[in-house]
Amino acid sequence: MGGAPIQNIGAYGLELAERLQDVDVFDPASGALDSLDVAACHFGYRDSIFKRERAAGRVVVGVTLALPRQWTAVAGYADVENELKARGIVRPAARDLFDAVVSIRRRKLPDPGRSATQAASSRIRWYPARSARN
């Protein structure tokens, strides 16, 4: 989870910052543990304070999420809206959103079962690390 607030991860219409309450950060140089709220994190698109001034040596050690008590569909992303519309779905359930995202990803990304990347990675040879004495 440490990389999630650094990058402000997100996909298909929702970013972490929209569901985050605070981030716990450890500074090994001082031994201090700080808790930063969302405003202090200065989130932007794939950006946060952790990529700039707060990055120097600090480690994200925890996050607290603020999830809504009542689930509501987040379907504002254009591709998701279009997929749901094509399926005739006006009020999507969680499964409808899942199916829409899976369908979108299958169209946009290569099939991992037939990908050249998979074939290339199967040819990588791993060698044991040399000891410090060699």
Side-chain angles (χ1 to χ4, degrees):
M1 191 70 183
I6 293 168
Q7 180 76 5
N8 188 23
I9 63 166
Y12 300 102
L14 190 66
E15 293 180 337
L16 179 66
E18 297 172 67
R19 297 290 189 256
L20 191 71
Q21 181 174 318
D22 56 51
V23 179
D24 297 326
V25 182
F26 177 68
D27 183 347
S30 68
L33 181 64
D34 293 321
S35 185
L36 305 173
D37 65 11
V38 173
C41 294
H42 298 277
F43 287 117
Y45 178 74
R46 303 295 176 261
D47 193 34
S48 72
I49 196 169
F50 306 110
K51 285 187 168 182
R52 296 179 303 276
E53 61 266 25
R54 286 272 181 172
R58 292 176 178 86
V59 180
V60 173
V61 295
V63 298
T64 303
L65 300 175
L67 303 175
R69 289 190 186 275
Q70 181 72 31
W71 181 84
T72 56
V74 177
Y77 187 73
D79 285 350
V80 174
E81 283 181 356
N82 293 337
E83 183 70 25
L84 293 171
K85 185 177 179 181
R87 293 170 181 235
I89 299 169
V90 177
R91 289 192 173 131
R95 183 61 195 218
D96 297 324
L97 287 172
F98 173 83
D99 291 342
V101 169
V102 168
S103 179
I104 292 164
R105 292 185 67 77
R106 284 189 177 143
R107 284 194 306 270
K108 290 185 173 185
L109 300 173
D111 179 353
R114 292 189 284 170
S115 158
T117 304
Q118 182 186 29
S121 66
S122 68
R123 291 189 299 263
I124 295 174
R125 293 200 174 102
W126 296 96
Y127 298 96
R130 293 183 181 172
S131 70
R133 295 179 195 167
N134 289 346

